[in-house]
Amino acid sequence: MTDEFKTLRKFDAGERREGWLYSLPALEEQGIGKISRLPVSIRIVLESVLRNCDRKKVRRKDVEALAKWNAKSPANEEIPFVVARIVLQDFTGVPLIVDLAAMRSAVQRLGRDPKIIEPLVAVDLVVDHSVQVDFFGSPRALELNLDMEFKRNRERYQFLKWGQQAFKTFQLIPPGIGIVHQVNLEYLAKGVLSQTSEVRGQKSEIFFPDTLVGTDSHTTMINGLGVVGWGVGGIEAEAGMLGQPVYFLTPEVVGVHLTGQLREGVTATDLVLHITQLLRAQKVVGKFVEFYGEGAASLPVPDRATIGNMSPEYGATMGFFPVDRESVNYLRATGRTEEECVAFENYFQAQNMFGMPRKGQIDYSVDIDLDLADVQPSVAGPKRPQDRINLPELGSKFRELLEKPVHDGGYGKKQIDLREKHVVELNGSAPRNGAMFSTDTKEDQGIKPGEARNVLEMVSNRPTPDPGKEIEAESSQVFQHGRTHIGHGSVLIAAITSCTNTSNPSVMIAAGLLAKKAVERGLRVDPGVKTSLAPGSRVVSDYLAKTGLQTYLDQLGFNLVGYGCTTCIGNSGPLHPNIEKTIHKYDLVAASVLSGNRNFEARVHQHIKANFLMSPPLVVAFALAGRVHIDLSRDPLGKDKDGKETFLRDLWPSLSEIQHTMQSALTPETFRKFYRDFAEQNPKWNEIPSSTGDVYQWDEKSDYIHDPPFFENFSMESGHIAEIRGAHALGIFGDTVTTDHISPAGAIKESSPAGKYLMSRGIQSRDFNSYGSRRGNDLVMTRGTFANVRIKNLMVPETEGGVTKYFSPSRTGGSKNGEGEQMSIFDAAMKYAETKTPLVILAGHEYGTGSSRDWAAKGTRLLGVKAVIAASFERIHRSNLLGMGVLPLQFLEGTSAQSLGLDGSEKFSITGLSDSLKPGQQVTLEIEDRSGQQRSVPVKLRIDTPIEIDYYRHGGILPFVLRQLLSK
Ligand code: SF4
């Protein structure tokens, strides 16, 4: 180990162990900076920079610059952060392992040892994103969904098993175990790590903080435990695995001083929605947020983790809580060894970083105060997590949004009577002519005037399916029987889902207690509501079973559907076909209620336009109410078995009830029991055959795993940075285009280019699976790029979906009257490729917002896009584009595709690009319209750091890293 600053010191690691650490107090004694006043998150990054300082990858000046971090004006320096480990989920992890496999194949083709491609840090991949809610509301739902998952994903799982044996530092946690961030919190994270190395001629154990990056944006959940980590693009993670530091610019750190305590009836979910709204307004994008003060100290780690989880929603790189007694207690309570717990506490004590900081102890760039007592029960939506609504106001807000014009964020409906409902038969065909009634005017179906609220109760007896009955259909309709009545605001999906909340026993137990009280009063959920419970670990099932609460959840249809992401990632499965038809026919604004963290359009379900985030107990409450246009503080949820109106306050459990129930059910032994021998606990995984060998044998018959073309014709020459000339626009987009718009994760439509391609391969649409599950196949993913049904390309403003206009580069044909020929974005890209025409994308603000998704960049590159010019970029997507060799450029303030009057018929050139480029410099966008008139505007290069110039010159991070490894 190097010790550039002579800071290696001994410390008592506990359990009679002597350890070594790179001492930050010793660095401070050298007068380099006021380290003890730095935010704790910055100090943890500083430790990594100090420990890895070798004068090559990490220079002395990197250590000095960070040690001198200035709260009010942080230096614009690039920090080389070497992380201790990497976590992946399967949607992002499979393509990453595919890339590593492709690199091994490329190295073998060059006649070198493929094993030089090997992760240098520990990599854990949790398979959690592939389970879909096909079956629900039945005791068999878990088993049947798991069967479907294994059937659909067999090829991917075979491939992952190959990866498991091919790479030494790669641990795989099979499906059916849990959700990556909850597994990380409950099991993978250790607080501090150690490695054996030589110190002063002797073998010694060197301790360092547990740090990580993950390929999922909610990696920040681990910040609740005092672990520094955040989401990066898959491409950056790959570079990190292969020994590259993760580079980021010195951040500002926003200190959020928490005081007071949450009031009775207020949950951690309410708090995180409040914080999301507060911090979004404070513009914390690209910044670290650090919570501190006595209010922070009073929060248990699961509450802190819920707050850390939603950092991407408030825009911060991290939402960090320093390490204190609560952090150590959590490790102990979740079954970590005594050795690990003591080492964790002693290490942070020795580094002078133990305990929740109080006001005035730390210098933050910005200070914000929040009194926890001010937080109120809330939901957020219907499209953005930061749009918090106080619970009593949801009904009126929904009504307002329903009539608000679309361009103001509403649904543009006119003169709506929310009492109008449409009858839907769930076990037969849809009612002929879509029979409709209004409870004011009709008495058909036994509904009397003025009884709108009771409509749902009348059809509430969800029949228990016959477990012996053969399951012939592969859809959720199997367990949906009876008749329902739906209209605007009807709740059609109610999902207790997402690591954000399922990792937090207090809200899960609250949901169970609320269900218990509802069942005891005889309340039921309407059969039209698709109910599901998908926790992030089996520990949750254990405590819900031990406390007897699962029985009540089951009776309301919240049977266990799987241990995975489900509705949170959009794997909510189909609605009953008759429900889908009715939504479509009447263009209904139906609702979902979920305990997830994202709700933009088409994220949850393609047919559900209004999606509200809320705590698990509120999900149960809204499932009972069956609609979102209700004031739960005043209106009854329904009637009990004696016909008495029942209100939310009658069902809501008290804090002491929750705590009492929790204490009886959670033990460290439970965690130890469930986090061991994963493969043995999942026989289906053992049954999957796997190939062996260092190099993957690509199978041309596979439609899940395909050798990507990124290393085709790979050579050791890096090439030069050149100007882009004669480019055409493939798309012009407005603001807030998400990575899901660019590369959807959900269902593949038959009529889409990817759907047609799969059909041409003999695959039936019922076997399409989702885009997310096909990320190991570039041929599907390239066709799926910009194929979201909701993306709006302003080149064809009257149409929604992945279409564009193709303009002949020679300007002689290919269009009628020069208007351009309308076709799918993929088809246009392929037509442009025939003439080797470079392409550009023009976009508005926050381009690439949403989940980190490397295929949003990879697909862009494989379509032939050379540059994306946007008003602003989401952090990870910008870095992913650059990582794939696509140039990110930013319009200067006040300029946009609209202000320039662009319609996509123009030709574009980007000039001023050369090998001597500097990060952030201006270059020129030249525009030539169809009449041949030319003009030019300056645009800012969004290559932000010197190393990114190198990446770009090499055609992306992967060729850069591969050339480095091969040149050793
Ligand atoms: S549950 Fe949701 S937030 Fe958590 S990992 Fe899955 S998709 Fe991401």
Side-chain angles (χ1 to χ4, degrees), residues 384-415:
R384 302 190 310 174
Q386 64 264 40
D387 295 335
R388 190 183 64 83
I389 305 164
N390 285 331
L391 185 60
E393 290 149 27
L394 177 59
S396 54
K397 184 76 189 174
F398 181 75
R399 282 187 194 92
E400 179 197 319
L401 285 170
L402 211 52
E403 301 206 348
K404 215 177 195 181
V406 175
H407 56 81
D408 286 341
Y411 295 102
K413 301 282 172 197
K414 301 239 164 64
Q415 295 176 335

Side-chain angles (χ1 to χ4, degrees), residues 289-353:
V289 169
E290 191 163 300
F291 297 92
Y292 73 104
E294 61 272 26
S298 77
L299 293 173
V301 166
D303 288 6
R304 299 178 189 181
T306 297
I307 295 165
N309 179 288
M310 285 189 72
S311 309
E313 281 65 47
Y314 43 85
T317 305
M318 285 205 297
F320 181 81
F321 284 81
V323 173
D324 67 352
R325 177 81 39 225
E326 272 297 323
S327 329
V328 182
N329 289 346
Y330 182 80
L331 278 196
R332 211 164 259 131
T334 47
R336 269 68 168 217
T337 65
E338 194 52 26
E339 209 174 63
E340 286 165 342
C341 298
V342 175
F344 182 41
E345 175 167 351
N346 288 10
Y347 177 88
F348 277 85
Q349 293 273 17
Q351 290 283 36
N352 198 15
M353 289 196 286

Side-chain angles (χ1 to χ4, degrees), residues 547-859:
T547 52
L549 295 175
Q550 185 61 54
T551 319
Y552 299 103
L553 287 161
D554 288 349
Q555 289 180 60
L556 296 183
F558 287 97
N559 300 75
L560 180 65
V561 294
Y563 296 101
C565 301
T566 66
T567 305
C568 186
I569 188 67
N571 288 352
S572 37
L575 296 175
H576 191 287
N578 291 352
I579 289 185
E580 292 194 4
K581 271 186 217 150
T582 308
I583 295 174
H584 190 70
K585 181 165 184 180
Y586 298 103
D587 194 21
L588 296 180
V589 181
S592 76
V593 293
L594 69 155
S595 57
N597 49 33
R598 286 200 169 142
N599 49 357
F600 46 79
E601 271 196 73
R603 162 93 174 188
V604 172
H605 192 283
Q606 295 205 351
H607 294 285
I608 305 276
K609 288 191 176 152
N611 303 292
F612 293 97
L613 308 177
M614 58 186 70
S615 65
L618 282 180
V619 169
V620 178
F622 276 100
L624 290 163
R627 61 199 168 106
V628 291
H629 44 287
I630 183 171
D631 172 359
L632 283 185
S633 67
R634 277 194 356 212
D635 301 335
L637 283 164
K639 287 186 179 169
D640 68 12
K641 49 186 180 261
D642 303 322
K644 207 170 138 226
E645 288 187 330
T646 304
F647 295 85
L648 182 63
R649 58 179 173 273
D650 301 326
L651 306 182
W652 197 265
S654 69
L655 206 54
S656 66
E657 270 178 279
I658 296 168
Q659 274 165 355
H660 177 75
T661 314
M662 230 156 62
Q663 273 158 13
S664 64
L666 275 162
T667 65
E669 188 42 45
T670 310
F671 289 86
R672 285 188 209 117
K673 184 171 94 190
F674 287 112
Y675 285 113
R676 68 175 179 226
D677 306 329
F678 301 118
E680 274 163 37
Q681 293 185 35
N682 189 339
K684 279 186 204 304
W685 182 252
N686 282 339
E687 285 161 16
I688 299 255
S690 143
S691 60
T692 53
D694 296 331
V695 177
Y696 188 66
Q697 301 306 313
W698 304 98
D699 178 0
E700 280 308 314
K701 291 201 286 296
S702 173
D703 288 298
Y704 278 97
I705 304 295
H706 183 261
D707 191 2
F710 305 131
F711 306 102
E712 251 170 27
N713 307 319
F714 177 82
S715 80
M716 290 300 285
E717 289 301 314
S718 70
H720 295 284
I721 297 175
E723 296 185 334
I724 297 166
R725 293 206 165 266
H728 275 250
L730 189 59
I732 301 179
F733 302 109
D735 291 343
T736 326
V737 165
T738 67
T739 46
D740 198 72
H741 285 123
I742 306 168
S743 182
I748 302 172
K749 272 181 81 170
E750 253 180 61
S751 56
S752 68
K756 286 183 194 156
Y757 169 75
L758 288 172
M759 303 260 270
S760 76
R761 300 271 301 174
I763 297 167
Q764 303 290 313
S765 61
R766 66 161 190 270
D767 295 324
F768 278 1
N769 210 340
S770 59
Y771 282 111
S773 68
R774 297 216 179 243
R775 286 182 188 160
N777 185 340
D778 55 285
L779 301 170
V780 174
M781 296 310 293
T782 309
R783 287 167 170 82
T785 308
F786 299 110
N788 187 311
V789 291
R790 298 253 179 266
I791 195 167
K792 290 188 184 78
N793 182 358
L794 303 175
M795 287 167 67
V796 272
E798 64 286 354
T799 317
E800 224 181 26
V803 289
T804 191
K805 278 183 186 167
Y806 168 80
F807 293 90
S808 166
S810 62
R811 294 186 168 165
T812 56
S815 60
K816 282 181 236 138
N817 310 322
E819 288 301 310
E821 190 184 338
Q822 193 164 315
M823 61 180 74
S824 78
I825 286 185
F826 175 77
D827 288 344
M830 293 306 105
K831 233 166 135 69
Y832 282 122
E834 286 167 16
T835 48
K836 293 197 169 44
T837 305
L839 300 170
V840 294
I841 294 287
L842 302 153
H845 284 281
E846 296 179 359
Y847 183 71
T849 197
S851 311
S852 71
R853 199 161 284 179
D854 55 344
W855 263 107
K858 286 175 170 169

Side-chain angles (χ1 to χ4, degrees), residues 89 128-129 179-181 216 218 309 497-500 564-566 568-569 596-597 603:
Q89 36 92 335
D128 62 357
H129 272 52
I179 300 175
V180 58
H181 308 308
D216 191 280
H218 297 99
N309 179 288
T497 178
S498 183
C499 53
T500 316
C565 301
T566 66
C568 186
I569 188 67
N597 49 33
R603 162 93 174 188

Side-chain angles (χ1 to χ4, degrees), residues 316-581:
T317 305
M318 285 205 297
F320 181 81
F321 284 81
V323 173
D324 67 352
R325 177 81 39 225
E326 272 297 323
S327 329
V328 182
N329 289 346
Y330 182 80
L331 278 196
R332 211 164 259 131
T334 47
R336 269 68 168 217
T337 65
E338 194 52 26
E339 209 174 63
E340 286 165 342
C341 298
V342 175
F344 182 41
E345 175 167 351
N346 288 10
Y347 177 88
F348 277 85
Q349 293 273 17
Q351 290 283 36
N352 198 15
M353 289 196 286
F354 192 80
M356 193 58 71
R358 301 293 146 135
K359 190 118 189 159
Q361 288 180 345
I362 304 250
D363 297 323
Y364 291 109
S365 309
V366 179
D367 249 309
I368 297 173
D369 287 298
L370 172 63
D371 184 348
L372 298 178
D374 290 342
V375 177
Q376 298 187 41
S378 310
V379 303
K383 294 179 186 170
R384 302 190 310 174
Q386 64 264 40
D387 295 335
R388 190 183 64 83
I389 305 164
N390 285 331
L391 185 60
E393 290 149 27
L394 177 59
S396 54
K397 184 76 189 174
F398 181 75
R399 282 187 194 92
E400 179 197 319
L401 285 170
L402 211 52
E403 301 206 348
K404 215 177 195 181
V406 175
H407 56 81
D408 286 341
Y411 295 102
K413 301 282 172 197
K414 301 239 164 64
Q415 295 176 335
I416 291 296
D417 182 350
L418 280 169
R419 290 166 302 183
E420 276 185 6
K421 305 278 177 202
H422 306 276
V423 182
V424 185
E425 300 291 344
L426 296 176
N427 42 2
S429 54
R432 254 171 290 143
N433 307 323
M436 187 187 81
F437 66 91
S438 153
T439 50
D440 260 359
T441 55
K442 296 201 177 182
E443 296 194 15
D444 60 351
Q445 321 300 333
I447 311 290
K448 294 194 179 72
E451 281 193 349
R453 274 184 219 116
N454 298 334
V455 167
L456 301 180
E457 292 162 31
M458 296 185 64
V459 288
S460 63
N461 292 324
R462 186 191 290 278
T464 311
D466 175 2
K469 189 178 160 226
E470 200 188 345
I471 309 296
E472 82 297 344
E474 293 169 348
S475 94
S476 57
Q477 74 189 80
V478 173
F479 297 124
Q480 239 171 335
H481 294 277
R483 172 185 288 175
T484 189
H485 304 80
I486 66 173
H488 294 300
S490 289
V491 170
L492 297 181
I493 289 180
I496 302 177
T497 178
S498 183
C499 53
T500 316
N501 287 295
T502 67
S503 56
N504 196 330
S506 68
V507 288
M508 296 301 280
I509 282 179
L513 289 169
L514 194 144
K516 177 173 187 274
K517 294 181 191 206
V519 169
E520 284 168 353
R521 284 172 180 256
L523 271 73
R524 285 286 182 270
V525 173
D526 179 82
V529 186
K530 187 167 185 178
T531 40
S532 60
L533 165 66
S537 89
R538 294 169 302 166
V539 171
V540 178
S541 292
D542 187 76
Y543 66 68
L544 287 177
K546 271 188 194 150
T547 52
L549 295 175
Q550 185 61 54
T551 319
Y552 299 103
L553 287 161
D554 288 349
Q555 289 180 60
L556 296 183
F558 287 97
N559 300 75
L560 180 65
V561 294
Y563 296 101
C565 301
T566 66
T567 305
C568 186
I569 188 67
N571 288 352
S572 37
L575 296 175
H576 191 287
N578 291 352
I579 289 185
E580 292 194 4
K581 271 186 217 150

